[in-house]
Structures are given as C-alpha cells and as structure tokens.
Amino acid sequence: MAQYHRLSDASASDHSTSVSPGVIKKLKEQGYTIEKELGRGASGMAFLVKDTEGDPYVIKQMNSRDEEELDAVRKEVEILKNLSFGYIVTYVNSFEDKEAEFFYIVMEYCAGGDLNERMKAQKERGFFEEQQILDWCVQICLALQYIHEERRNILHRDIKPQNIYLTEDGYINLGDFGYSTVQKRADPYTSSVRGAELYHSPEVSDNQYTSKSDIYSLGWVLYDLCMLEVWSDFKRRRFQQASHDMGYPLQFSNLYSQDLQELIKEMLGCCPMTRPSAEEILAKPFLRDALERNRRFPKALEQRFMMSLKIFDKTYTERYDHFEALVTEWGKTTDSLEEVHRKCTVGALSGSVIGAAGGITAVVGAILAPFTFGASLIVTGVGIGVGVAGGVAGAASSITNAVKQKSLRENIQRIQQNFTDVAPLIKSLNALRRVLRVIQKFRDFVCDSSDNVQMSCNVGRSRLVCGTELMHLGLLANVGRIAAQTARVGRAAAAATAAVTGVLSGLLVIVDTVFIVKDSIDIHQMRQGQVDDPKKVKSSLLKSIAEMRKTHTDLCNVLKEIKETREELKEYIKEAMVYRA
C-alpha cells in the first residue's frame, strides 16, 4: 500500500486526535514535529509534520507487521529515491521503528491538496476551463514520459485524482508510487490487478499492464475533469464507463474542443496498441502552447522565486549590519563576563587567603599568650588586623565586581531582547531556500531548453523574459550549492538562536549567584585553552560562558554564510529588481 491518499480518504483529523507517545517520540528522534494528523486507515496513518528548520512534510506511517505491505512500501522508496522531476512528488527520507513495527516514509508536502478535492470544490462553482485541463494534461504526461523512459521503465499503475497532487504554486505533482513497478524489457506486460476500479484499463482484468495502461487511466482523469457532473454521480460514472467498454461513444460537453475530445477517445482505446504514448500526446499540435508553458519553470514558481530574492535582499540591507553588531557585542560581553568572573574569583580567593593568614596569626598569638605575655598580645592584634584587612579586600572585590555584573546583566538582557530583530533575515533566507529546493526539480527542463530560449528571443518576447530564461540556465548550475549553503545557514541559525535563548535565560539567573572557589580551576584551564567543550566545565557560570563562546563562533559562521549567499545571488537579485510578473 503506502499511499497517504488512502489514509486521507477519511476526513482529516483535528489536533485533538490522539497520537501515541511512542510515535511522537520516534518522529522527534528523526527531527520531525507533528502538526496534525491527515488521516488514518487499516494499515497506518499520515501526518503533516515540520522538521527542525520549519519545513513542512508528509509522513506516512505503515504497519510493518504485514510483510506484503512492507515490501510494497520498500518498493515505493526504492523507486522514489531515484526520481527527481518537477511534476513528481519528491521523496525525502524513510526510517523504520522495528520495536513498534512501523515503517515511515517522508514525502514532499503539496499544500494544494489532491485533484479529487479540487474537483469537488470546482463542481460547486461550475467547470474547469480547457486551458487549465490542457496544462494539467501536459504536466502529467511530462511526468509519465519521465518514468516511462526506456532507462527507467517505471509503471505507475494507480493513476487517479486522489494520487495527483497540487503544489502551492498550482501545478501538478504525481505521487503515490506504492503500486508502481519497474517493467522488465523482455516482458511487455506486467501482471497486476491493482488500480482504482473506475480508472484501470481493460487489460488489467486479464492481469496485464503496460505503460499504455497508465495512459488509459489518465484518459479517464481528463474525461472526469471535463465532465464533473458525470464524475460526481458514481452510478452515472460507472454506467458511462461500462457503455464505453461496450463500444458506445462517450458524451462530452460542448465547452471543450474537438481536439481535446478526440485525444481523450484515443487514450481510452480498448486496445493498448492504439493508445498514444506520453511522448506522442505531447507532440500533438494543439498542445504546443501548453507544452511551451509547462516545459519550463512554472510561472507561479518563478514569481515566488523573484519575490523571495527581493525580500531576502531587503531584509539583508535592513538587518545584516545590526545582526553583525549584535554578534560583535555578544563576543565582547562574553569576554567581559569571563574577565569579571576571573577577577571576582581571584579577589575572593585573595581575601580568603589574607583572612585565613590573619586568623592563623591570631590563633598563634592566643596559644603563646601564657608564655610570652605582651608579645603574644601584639601577635594576636596583628592577626586580627590582617583578618579584617582580608575581609575588607574580599568585600571590596565583591562590591566592585557586583557593579560590573549589573552592567553585564543589562548587556545580556539587551542582546536577548534585540536578537529577535534578526529573525526576519533568517526567515527570508529559509523561504528562499525552499524555493531553490523546488527549482532543482526542474533542472532537466532548463538544461534542455536552450533551443526554447533562442526561439523565445526570435519570436519577439521581451528581452527581460529572455534574460530571465538565461538567468535560469546560470542558476541551475549553482542552485544545488546555493541551496546547500542556505540550508547550512538555516540549521546553524536555528541552533544559535536556541542557544541564545537558553544560555542567556540561564545566565541571567547564574550571574546573580555567589561565585564558588572551584571556578578558579576552570578559569585557569579556559585561559590556557584547555577547555573547548562546555560539557567539560564544572562551574555553572563558566559552562554558560563556554556555551556563549561556542554560540558566538556559530553566529560568526552564520554571518559569513549569509554574506557569501547574497554574493552568490547578486546577479539574480539584479534581475529580480526589474522583473515583471
């Protein structure tokens, strides 16, 4: 199985749905936090989750006690691992909880829901425009062309509206490859009775399946998009399919062109050999404009990329210098706090030593009193004086450093309050990273589009659009590296921000406590460079200082990476500033 659409066929659960603590713990161990349950079925559940960087994903949990189902899940994972395409749902990760007998698969989250949901909503409003249907048709055919390609030979085997997802940018992602198989070249047919009843082809009843069977299923999807009235009435829909299989002509609305109607009829041919392949469909003259629109970055994705560049550049200009100054102040405060602590501890120790010497002298004088009379009184007096001097020295050190502590405390509070000012910069960079990650999926289109770029220029499209296309060619060469760099920044910034909050909050309590003598050992080791790991420091305060030093180093690296990322994107930012949607 392994399809989260099967789970989501049931109504999506609200936040009150109980999820076992073991599941929550397992997902947290893998770096995911459950946002909500999407649905559940007999063999598993599906969740909307967020990772440590705040990115949304779908996690499908499958019962691994059933070996047949588990084999299907593993098969899906193996297929998805090797697929990276603009119109196919991206596989992210998978892991198993052997103790609880659950298998988890992490997938790209498609915020637009599935096509089935969209069709239900559209039925209430009217009908789909033909251009929209043609765009979706081309997008799905491009995905099928990709998986049917000879070097892959992958059959989907379960194409239906519930397995076709919509992204936040409105284009299609073909998903749920749990029933897929890699077709052996020597075997033109693959045995299977899988697939939704209303979408499987006649040959499936004979336990045979080819790439043309996927085309047949897609034909019924297109028919349903054209005929929402028929699709929404289950009995009527079944009757229409049965009539078609018996040779009666399909009924179409006059809203749609003869070209589209004829294409659907060809795709629904009873004999697989008469059906067009995905490649042949894409070669249809009436689909030329739709193919040109969709064999490139989706327009909405391009707009989101340009907007993300603008927002990142704006927040960089507004906040980078402030962030840099804050990190510098963080470093200076760390140095000052360590120095104050050192002086205070040394002062306290000196006072203690002097006081102890005076006490010993006084005791010696008292012991000698019966024997030395006046001389012993002098010794005792000197001892008392030295003890008082030691106490005064210790007190003076404590008072002086307490004043400095107050100043440092105010600095720490100010840093803590101002650190939230840099959050928009990190947020804008993360938003840009998410777009870049999606753009990577379309690299095949852009790398193969040099002819299209030249054609676009020749037919008189604006120089700006042509320039944007060329920019995409350059971007794709670097997008992996830039996306990885922004991901590093996001992770480092998230860790540093958590450290800032945790360290400073704890530090504000610690600086109000009395320093203890054992800190002197840690001070010596830290000044000698012997302690780099905060976990090895015994003193609570010095542990916090060590953590502050580590966080300062992390923040400096974040600053450097952000600056380098902006430099990498400089040319694209220039394009974004003059981009017209």
Side-chain angles (χ1 to χ4, degrees):
M1 180 168 137
Q3 284 88 337
Y4 81 75
H5 74 265
R6 286 190 175 79
L7 303 175
S8 59
D9 282 345
S11 58
S13 306
D14 58 25
H15 292 278
S16 63
T17 301
S18 60
V19 179
S20 73
V23 172
I24 295 173
K25 181 182 177 183
K26 183 63 179 178
L27 294 185
K28 280 192 174 180
E29 287 175 358
Q30 297 293 325
Y32 301 104
T33 303
I34 296 176
E35 292 291 300
K36 68 176 181 179
E37 181 185 319
L38 296 174
R40 61 175 66 201
S43 60
M45 305 172 68
F47 307 100
L48 173 63
V49 302
K50 284 190 176 178
D51 66 2
T52 53
E53 295 168 4
D55 294 343
Y57 296 99
V58 168
I59 289 186
K60 297 185 287 183
Q61 176 210 67
M62 307 304 301
N63 185 341
S64 64
R65 286 188 292 270
D66 188 321
E67 281 301 318
E68 183 179 349
E69 295 287 356
L70 186 57
D71 285 344
V73 174
R74 287 172 176 154
K75 183 188 298 181
E76 179 178 9
V77 168
E78 288 306 310
I79 289 172
L80 290 172
K81 275 182 181 178
N82 299 310
L83 300 182
S84 178
F85 191 73
Y87 298 126
I88 293 177
V89 173
T90 302
Y91 161 86
V92 178
N93 190 17
S94 62
F95 50 92
E96 192 170 358
D97 185 345
K98 292 185 178 179
E99 185 177 346
E101 297 184 307
F102 286 128
F103 191 93
Y104 296 89
I105 180 168
V106 187
M107 304 294 297
E108 174 185 1
Y109 172 58
C110 296
D114 64 40
L115 193 57
N116 189 66
E117 295 167 354
R118 179 67 183 275
M119 290 164 72
K120 287 179 181 177
Q122 191 66 32
K123 167 68 172 55
E124 301 303 317
R125 296 194 289 265
F127 58 90
F128 288 113
E129 296 288 344
E130 179 161 332
Q131 179 173 310
Q132 178 65 87
I133 295 175
L134 295 184
D135 282 339
W136 286 341
C137 171
V138 166
Q139 290 166 14
I140 298 169
C141 282
L142 285 168
L144 290 179
Q145 182 186 39
Y146 176 81
I147 65 172
H148 290 170
E149 195 175 41
E150 186 176 357
R151 60 194 169 112
R152 295 186 185 88
N153 282 310
I154 295 170
L155 310 180
H156 188 282
R157 303 199 303 173
D158 198 20
I159 292 176
K160 58 184 180 180
Q162 293 91 335
N163 287 347
I164 299 168
Y165 300 97
L166 293 165
T167 67
E168 64 179 295
D169 297 307
Y171 59 86
I172 288 294
N173 262 197
L174 184 61
D176 290 305
F177 283 73
Y179 288 155
S180 301
T181 187
V182 177
Q183 184 180 26
K184 295 179 181 179
R185 296 186 184 183
D187 183 9
Y189 292 95
T190 298
S191 297
S192 172
V193 293
R194 302 288 193 175
E197 179 186 355
L198 293 179
Y199 297 92
H200 69 216
S201 60
E203 62 268 20
V204 170
S205 300
D206 298 327
N207 254 9
Q208 295 179 328
Y209 207 106
T210 73
S211 63
K212 298 294 185 69
S213 304
D214 282 343
I215 298 298
Y216 183 93
S217 299
L218 177 56
W220 278 115
V221 171
L222 295 178
Y223 180 80
D224 289 343
L225 288 171
C226 294
M227 303 294 290
L228 292 176
E229 287 290 339
V230 176
W231 166 79
S232 61
D233 185 331
F234 183 71
K235 289 183 179 179
R236 190 177 171 190
R237 171 67 169 78
R238 289 192 67 176
F239 177 78
Q240 179 69 82
Q241 185 167 1
S243 299
H244 168 266
D245 289 347
M246 292 174 65
Y248 290 95
L250 290 170
Q251 300 300 311
F252 282 93
S253 166
N254 292 329
L255 292 169
Y256 302 105
S257 68
Q258 281 298 120
D259 285 330
L260 177 56
Q261 293 181 33
E262 289 303 317
L263 173 61
I264 292 173
K265 290 175 184 177
E266 287 180 37
M267 295 170 73
L268 293 178
C270 291
C271 175
M273 300 298 292
T274 65
R275 298 173 205 151
S277 66
E279 190 170 357
E280 289 168 339
I281 293 172
L282 293 171
K284 297 285 185 182
F286 83 100
L287 290 177
R288 185 176 300 159
D289 289 344
L291 181 60
E292 184 181 344
R293 279 195 304 273
N294 294 285
R295 195 176 171 80
R296 52 163 303 190
F297 289 156
K299 191 67 175 176
L301 177 60
E302 181 177 287
Q303 291 171 354
R304 187 154 63 98
F305 173 55
M306 293 300 187
M307 184 58 67
S308 297
L309 284 173
K310 290 179 181 179
I311 293 172
F312 170 61
D313 185 63
K314 184 174 183 290
T315 55
Y316 181 94
T317 303
E318 291 175 350
R319 299 177 188 270
Y320 183 84
D321 289 345
H322 176 63
F323 188 11
E324 191 173 40
L326 203 59
V327 173
T328 300
E329 185 176 3
W330 174 276
K332 290 179 179 178
T333 300
T334 305
D335 292 339
S336 298
L337 187 60
E338 183 182 346
E339 186 62 17
V340 166
H341 183 257
R342 184 188 69 81
K343 288 180 178 179
C344 186
T345 305
V346 171
L349 286 172
S350 299
S352 299
V353 170
I354 295 171
I360 292 171
T361 303
V363 170
V364 170
I367 292 172
L368 295 175
F371 307 101
T372 59
F373 301 104
S376 64
L377 294 176
I378 294 172
V379 172
T380 301
V382 169
I384 293 172
V386 171
V388 170
V392 170
S397 174
S398 297
I399 292 170
T400 301
N401 287 288
V403 173
K404 292 180 180 178
Q405 285 178 53
K406 183 180 179 182
S407 173
L408 286 170
R409 192 182 203 282
E410 291 171 352
N411 281 354
I412 292 168
Q413 287 176 319
R414 185 169 60 256
I415 292 172
Q416 190 175 33
Q417 291 165 0
N418 291 340
F419 200 84
T420 55
D421 292 346
V422 304
L425 176 56
I426 304 302
K427 184 178 179 181
S428 70
L429 191 60
N430 276 331
L432 179 59
R433 173 180 52 78
R434 294 185 187 106
V435 180
L436 288 170
R437 188 173 59 198
V438 178
I439 285 174
Q440 282 183 287
K441 293 174 61 176
F442 289 89
R443 61 182 177 272
D444 288 346
F445 290 176
V446 177
C447 292
D448 293 340
S449 67
S450 56
D451 291 340
N452 291 338
V453 172
Q454 187 61 44
M455 179 183 69
S456 299
C457 297
N458 290 339
V459 297
R461 296 176 67 187
S462 71
R463 290 181 62 192
L464 176 63
V465 174
C466 184
T468 302
E469 293 281 5
L470 290 172
M471 181 198 74
H472 289 163
L473 290 171
L475 178 64
L476 261 295
N478 302 314
V479 69
R481 179 165 44 81
I482 296 173
Q485 188 162 298
T486 55
R488 284 198 305 272
V489 173
R491 287 191 294 270
T497 302
V500 167
T501 304
V503 172
L504 295 185
S505 297
L507 198 56
L508 291 175
V509 176
I510 295 171
V511 294
D512 290 333
T513 63
V514 179
F515 297 141
I516 53 178
V517 175
K518 71 175 182 179
D519 288 357
S520 60
I521 299 172
D522 287 333
I523 288 174
H524 175 71
Q525 291 179 338
M526 288 178 70
R527 291 178 70 82
Q528 296 296 319
Q530 298 173 16
V531 179
D532 296 323
D533 185 356
K535 295 178 182 178
K536 296 179 181 178
V537 180
K538 297 178 182 178
S539 159
S540 297
L541 180 57
L542 288 177
K543 186 186 292 292
S544 293
I545 292 173
E547 287 174 347
M548 286 181 72
R549 284 211 179 284
K550 183 180 181 303
T551 302
H552 179 254
T553 300
D554 291 341
L555 288 171
C556 287
N557 289 334
V558 168
L559 282 169
K560 181 178 177 232
E561 294 271 12
I562 291 175
K563 195 168 186 176
E564 289 177 355
T565 300
R566 186 175 182 272
E567 187 63 26
E568 288 273 3
L569 293 167
K570 186 167 59 177
E571 293 303 316
Y572 311 128
I573 290 171
K574 287 179 184 177
E575 290 282 351
M577 293 306 167
V578 295
Y579 175 80
R580 294 192 300 273

